[in-house]
Amino acid sequence: MKFAILKSASLTGIVLLATTACAQPNATDMTNKAGQQSGAQLQSKQVAGTVSKSSVDSRLRQVLAQAGIKTQILSIVPSNLPNMYQVNLAEQLPLHITADGKYVIQGELQKNPSKRIVTKTPARSTSAQIGKPVSASMKSDILANMGALKNMSTKTPFFYTAVPGVIWGATLEGVPFLLSDDAQYITDGEISVIENGQFIGLDATFEKLKNQSVLSTLDTKQLITYPATSAEKAVIYVATDVNCPYCRRLHKQMPMLNATGVTIKAIGYPIYEESPEQMRGIWCQGNEDSRRKALDQAMLHGKMTPAPASCKTDDVAGNREKAAGLAVIATPAIYREDGVLFQASFESPEFLEFLGVE
């Protein structure tokens, strides 16, 4: 498996475009190259223990060769991401890899242009914290050091990853990124895993635990639930948009899914330009049964129910912001209750197998 070659742009200048399909905007990535500090400066940031640099270099070259990386490795130096090494490749973006060769990120690091306000060394995370939101104090420190980045706010989600000192974040539009826990370096790469000498994709354990954390924070009163009409066998969460054709196709299958024992919890996740106000109107209906009927009208007949004049709230926005931590790429995004994302067609036989129902 080879890593994709990423196109270059600047995260600090992200422009999020309105989509004309059932897809979220893709992440743009970084231009500024890391590795400009001297080897001595970098080494002081790397927790290497008693393992010599030469033995780490040799081991990582062996791991990457076994995993199928055929590109020439120019050098391996301590990364600006904590507890990682930077593997500089010929004519490709660098890799950042843990000393044990298990966790890998591909991408340039961009130096955060913000003034560093908090200078203390953050407390590093533990394995028990993987996939959990960062502490309130760490989030405050991260945001204090990101003052020049206008798309960061107290609503921005941040989570601990499996690499101590590397934090996962996402913009409110769901564009994921990684950063050092002192917020000095950022990349739009994501953490992949090498296991038994092979790349096995993104860190599924982290993704599952992170998604569990996100789903647990959703306001149940702002979900529209379609309960199972037979003995409940599965619960799924669906990020949906009333103008997404694929969401409408899934909606037509809901009675069948309910009959097989699947309870569906719809997260209002507008991505089309006209959707936020239209979906606010649906969520403004007086009770859940009325909201369900209004959502059915929109999905099955294209008929939008306007918000009553008395409704001044937006009951879609709250869960939409919390769901940014799911980093939804396209709607409908379907998650099992345990946080696992379904990554194939919901019209395929594998869907019911994924749900554990017949």
Side-chain angles (χ1 to χ4, degrees):
M1 172 180 177
K2 293 184 178 179
F3 281 92
I5 302 302
L6 303 176
K7 298 177 183 179
S8 291
S10 171
L11 182 64
T12 59
I14 273 181
V15 176
L16 296 162
L17 303 176
T19 180
T20 56
C22 299
Q24 280 292 96
N26 289 327
T28 56
D29 42 304
M30 320 305 155
T31 51
N32 294 354
K33 294 187 177 181
Q36 295 176 354
Q37 291 176 298
S38 69
Q41 289 173 311
L42 288 168
Q43 188 65 48
S44 68
K45 295 185 177 184
Q46 181 70 31
V47 180
T50 58
V51 180
S52 69
K53 181 180 177 181
S54 61
S55 64
V56 171
D57 185 290
S58 175
R59 180 169 65 251
L60 292 181
R61 288 176 184 269
Q62 183 178 11
V63 167
L64 292 171
Q66 184 179 2
I69 297 295
K70 301 185 184 302
T71 305
Q72 180 188 3
I73 295 175
L74 302 177
S75 63
I76 300 178
V77 298
S79 172
N80 279 312
L81 289 177
N83 296 307
M84 304 196 85
Y85 285 84
Q86 178 169 312
V87 181
N88 296 309
L89 302 173
E91 299 181 355
Q92 289 193 19
L93 295 177
L95 305 179
H96 303 269
I97 185 169
T98 51
D100 61 4
K102 182 175 182 179
Y103 298 106
V104 187
I105 302 163
Q106 184 180 36
E108 298 282 11
L109 300 183
Q110 181 167 333
K111 181 70 173 69
N112 179 3
S114 309
K115 181 179 180 181
R116 186 174 183 180
I117 304 298
V118 178
T119 58
K120 65 182 180 182
T121 301
R124 293 283 146 80
S125 58
T126 66
S127 59
Q129 293 174 296
I130 297 171
K132 295 186 182 302
V134 301
S135 67
S137 60
M138 173 168 279
K139 183 170 186 176
S140 176
D141 291 347
I142 288 173
L143 291 174
N145 286 342
M146 302 181 84
L149 304 182
K150 295 181 180 179
N151 57 343
M152 299 294 147
S153 74
T154 56
K155 296 178 181 179
T156 303
F158 295 102
F159 292 84
Y160 297 108
T161 71
V163 182
V166 177
I167 303 299
W168 184 97
T171 68
L172 292 183
E173 289 74 14
V175 180
F177 57 90
L178 296 169
L179 69 158
S180 56
D181 57 4
D182 60 5
Q184 295 307 290
Y185 291 91
I186 310 172
T187 178
D188 72 339
E190 292 206 65
I191 297 178
S192 295
V193 174
I194 295 178
E195 190 172 281
N196 298 322
Q198 300 294 323
F199 283 106
I200 61 171
L202 294 184
D203 184 357
T205 299
F206 165 75
E207 292 292 328
K208 177 180 177 179
L209 294 173
K210 169 182 66 67
N211 293 343
Q212 286 177 11
S213 296
V214 174
L215 295 175
S216 70
T217 67
L218 297 178
D219 185 345
T220 57
K221 294 179 180 179
Q222 293 179 2
L223 300 172
I224 297 180
T225 301
Y226 290 78
T229 53
S230 62
E232 186 178 270
K233 300 176 182 177
V235 176
I236 60 173
Y237 292 80
V238 179
T240 192
D241 182 306
V242 292
N243 290 297
C244 165
Y246 294 101
C247 298
R248 292 179 177 181
R249 283 164 63 171
L250 174 63
H251 203 90
K252 290 179 181 178
Q253 294 192 19
M254 283 187 178
M256 178 273 292
L257 291 170
N258 293 155
T260 59
V262 180
T263 291
I264 301 163
K265 298 184 178 184
I267 307 168
Y269 202 93
I271 59 175
Y272 283 80
E273 185 177 0
E274 63 272 30
S275 296
E277 181 57 27
Q278 291 174 341
M279 296 181 76
R280 188 184 78 85
I282 294 169
W283 263 255
C284 264
Q285 301 309 301
N287 55 56
E288 187 171 7
D289 187 55
S290 297
R291 291 193 291 272
R292 238 187 331 261
K293 290 178 180 177
L295 185 57
D296 289 342
Q297 286 292 310
M299 290 295 198
L300 302 178
H301 307 293
K303 182 179 178 181
M304 303 300 169
T305 304
S310 60
C311 180
K312 305 300 182 183
T313 62
D314 186 349
D315 288 334
V316 176
N319 276 345
R320 173 65 175 80
E321 291 173 354
K322 293 173 182 176
L326 298 174
V328 172
I329 296 173
T331 55
I334 304 168
Y335 299 86
R336 277 193 324 225
E337 198 171 24
D338 64 358
V340 177
L341 169 67
F342 184 64
Q343 300 189 64
S345 170
F346 57 80
E347 296 174 319
S348 68
E350 289 80 7
F351 185 42
L352 291 181
E353 293 178 16
F354 170 79
L355 300 180
V357 300
E358 297 180 359

